[in-house]
């Protein structure tokens, strides 16, 4: 069955799709084919792609299945070489994936299982056209799994076009706040955020701090 999974990061989505995928691929072994993976996991960022590949390697370390990860921002030759040796499972970001398809280093003909992970983040990052190109190139006969932390209208439309009669599983962990933590919010213009942060950190009561930011450039 196709699957629509709604769950926050950290709830175990990677294991939820990786373990059954490894079991299914192991049960139906086929020979490795040059540039033709049997399973494709599409994810928005290089960091997440690397984490997912690490999970597959840990979970499948006693199985004779091969995975690799491809992403932009680095030279493509090692990735092309890995595809040429053949892989069962490919984890990829959209841009580099489509580049390698266009260069004919990669085909989707053998894909049995397709996973779209962090779909809402994909939409926020402007990947809809790339995702649609990937989906259009996949075999019609496949299992598709769609994961998203939230379901905005654009994500629902994308899922509707990608999934056939899916099972829906929603995991919404109870939001709890440590009672000793005081919370406050500052409404501030984008250009003033850094100065405000610097001012807040002059407070001698703050001995240690964690600062979260959405991009590596911002960090």
């Amino acid at each position: 069955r196709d699957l629509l999974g709604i769950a926050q990061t950290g709830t175990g989505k990677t294991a939820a799709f990786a373990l059954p995928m490894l079991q299914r691929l192991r049960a139906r072994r086929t020979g490795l084919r040059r540039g033709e993976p049997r399973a494709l996991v599409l994810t928005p960022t290089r960091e997440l792609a690397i984490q997912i590949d690490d999970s597959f390697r840990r979970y499948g370390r006693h199985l004779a299945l091969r995975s690799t990860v491809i992403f932009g921002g680095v030279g493509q030759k090692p990735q092309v070489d890995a595809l040429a040796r053949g892989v069962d499972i490919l984890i990829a970001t959209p841009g580099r994936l489509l580049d390698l398809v266009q260069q004919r280093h990669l085909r989707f003909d053998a894909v049995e299982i397709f996973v779209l992970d962090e779909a809402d983040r994909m939409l926020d990052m402007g990947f809809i056209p790339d995702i649609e190109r990937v989906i259009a190139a996949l075999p019609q006969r496949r299992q598709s799994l769609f994961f998203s932390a939230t379901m905005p209208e654009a994500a629902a439309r994308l899922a509707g076009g990608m999934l056939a009669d899916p099972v829906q599983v929603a995991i919404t962990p109870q939001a709890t706040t440590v009672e000793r933590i005081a919370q406050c919010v500052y409404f501030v213009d984008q250009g003033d955020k850094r100065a405000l942060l610097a001012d807040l950190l002059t407070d001698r009561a703050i001995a240690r701090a964690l600062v979260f930011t959405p991009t590596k450039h911002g960090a």
Side-chain angles (χ1 to χ4, degrees):
R1 294 286 299 276
D2 284 358
L3 174 67
L4 174 60
I6 304 170
Q8 300 288 335
T9 298
T11 50
K13 294 196 303 292
T14 302
F17 65 74
L19 293 169
M21 185 186 296
L22 289 166
Q23 183 174 351
R24 282 189 56 191
L25 295 177
R26 179 66 181 83
R28 296 201 305 271
R29 284 305 309 272
T30 62
L32 293 173
R33 290 190 281 185
R34 180 187 181 95
E36 293 194 18
R38 298 172 60 202
L40 172 63
V41 180
L42 198 59
T43 191
T45 66
R46 169 172 60 182
E47 294 78 11
L48 189 54
I50 292 170
Q51 289 176 26
I52 293 172
D53 185 53
D54 287 344
S55 295
F56 269 105
R57 292 176 187 273
R58 287 200 310 273
Y59 302 151
R61 65 184 179 274
H62 298 302
L63 303 176
L65 294 171
R66 186 179 295 174
S67 70
T68 197
V69 58
I70 61 174
F71 46 78
V74 297
Q76 72 174 36
K77 188 179 186 307
Q79 300 173 2
V80 170
D81 291 344
L83 291 171
R85 290 191 293 270
V87 295
D88 294 289
I89 302 157
L90 177 63
I91 302 99
T93 55
R96 178 56 60 88
L97 179 74
L98 290 170
D99 285 346
L100 296 183
V101 170
Q102 189 170 6
Q103 296 171 42
R104 300 187 178 180
H105 294 302
L106 177 63
R107 294 169 57 92
F108 296 146
D109 299 17
V111 171
E112 304 170 28
I113 307 169
F114 173 57
V115 177
L116 184 63
D117 195 22
E118 302 282 355
D120 48 355
R121 288 182 63 190
M122 292 270 205
L123 303 180
D124 290 342
M125 295 170 71
F127 282 134
I128 286 185
D130 289 346
I131 295 168
E132 290 176 339
R133 287 174 61 193
V134 171
I135 293 172
L138 293 171
Q140 288 292 316
R141 186 175 177 82
R142 67 176 191 271
Q143 182 185 30
S144 297
L145 299 90
F146 183 105
F147 291 96
S148 187
T150 61
M151 282 298 289
E153 186 177 339
R157 284 198 304 269
L158 185 62
M162 172 182 149
L163 305 173
D165 187 27
V167 175
Q168 179 171 323
V169 179
I171 304 297
T172 52
Q174 184 177 356
T176 58
T177 304
V178 178
E179 291 181 1
R180 293 177 58 198
I181 294 180
Q183 300 185 74
C184 59
V185 59
Y186 294 86
F187 294 97
V188 59
D189 290 337
Q190 182 74 25
D192 296 330
K193 282 185 177 181
R194 200 170 302 172
L196 173 61
L197 175 63
D199 186 63
L200 290 171
L201 292 179
T202 61
D203 185 345
R204 292 182 180 276
I206 301 176
R208 296 184 179 87
L210 284 173
V211 180
F212 291 93
T213 183
T215 66
K216 64 182 181 182
H217 176 74

